[in-house]
């Protein structure tokens, strides 16, 4: 059997080189710095009490959603080009699920707070 009988595809090297972007030190550092900033700002808002509780809660949730997107882009390397666009579909799906979870949790907590029985003053009970 001669070397001429081999198909041209058999001579390609497949040593893990593909179209995926595995990131660089710079992209990981950008992701890390953004993550720290997106954590520090809500932490500072909560610790200082600079805004009303409802506004702080909304801002913290917004920063959490943005941080999830940052992690997916910079650490999980999701973009529109990789995997034929399926990664972007996964990103959109994740955003929708996170929104449903956050909105549902807030809705449940609000209704539990609104509909709970009032607290009783234990000092007025006759023993």
């Amino acid at each position: 059997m001669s070397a001429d009988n081999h198909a041209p595809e058999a001579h390609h090297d497949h040593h893990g080189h593909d179209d995926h972007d595995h990131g660089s030190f710079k992209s990981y550092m950008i992701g890390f710095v953004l993550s720290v900033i997106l954590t520090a700002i809500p932490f500072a808002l909560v610790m200082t009490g600079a805004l009303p509780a409802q506004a702080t809660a909304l801002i913290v949730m917004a920063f959490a959603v943005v941080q999830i997107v940052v992690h997916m882009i910079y650490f999980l390397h999701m973009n529109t080009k990789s995997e034929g666009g399926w990664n972007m579909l996964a990103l959109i799906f994740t955003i929708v699920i996170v929104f449903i979870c956050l909105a549902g949790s807030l809705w449940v907590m609000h209704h539990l707070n609104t509909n709970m029985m009032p607290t009783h003053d234990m000092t007025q009970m006759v023993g």
Side-chain angles (χ1 to χ4, degrees):
M1 186 173 199
S2 69
D4 296 333
N5 291 341
H6 295 290
E9 295 81 24
H11 295 289
H12 292 284
D13 281 337
H14 294 288
H15 296 291
H17 300 292
D18 51 16
D19 295 336
H20 301 294
D21 179 23
H22 294 290
S24 64
F25 180 75
K26 180 181 177 183
S27 69
Y28 283 118
M29 286 309 296
I30 291 171
F32 175 73
V33 169
L34 285 174
S35 296
V36 168
I37 292 169
L38 292 170
T39 301
I41 292 172
F43 181 79
L45 286 174
V46 169
M47 293 306 290
T48 61
L51 297 174
Q54 291 83 7
T56 302
L58 289 174
I59 290 171
V60 167
M61 284 189 294
F63 273 82
V65 170
V66 171
Q67 191 168 73
I68 289 170
V69 174
V70 165
H71 282 234
M72 292 180 77
I73 291 170
Y74 286 99
F75 300 122
L76 298 177
H77 312 295
M78 291 190 165
N79 58 36
T80 57
K81 298 174 198 132
S82 62
E83 301 292 330
W86 284 104
N87 279 345
M88 185 53 64
L89 186 62
L91 176 63
I92 293 168
F93 179 73
T94 301
I95 292 170
V96 169
I97 294 299
V98 166
F99 175 77
I100 290 170
C101 289
L102 289 174
S105 297
L106 288 175
W107 181 73
V108 167
M109 288 186 283
H110 171 74
H111 283 281
L112 283 174
N113 187 42
T114 303
N115 297 321
M116 293 287 290
M117 289 178 31
T119 58
H120 296 288
D121 188 8
M122 298 299 284
T123 60
Q124 293 181 0
M125 291 185 74
V126 178

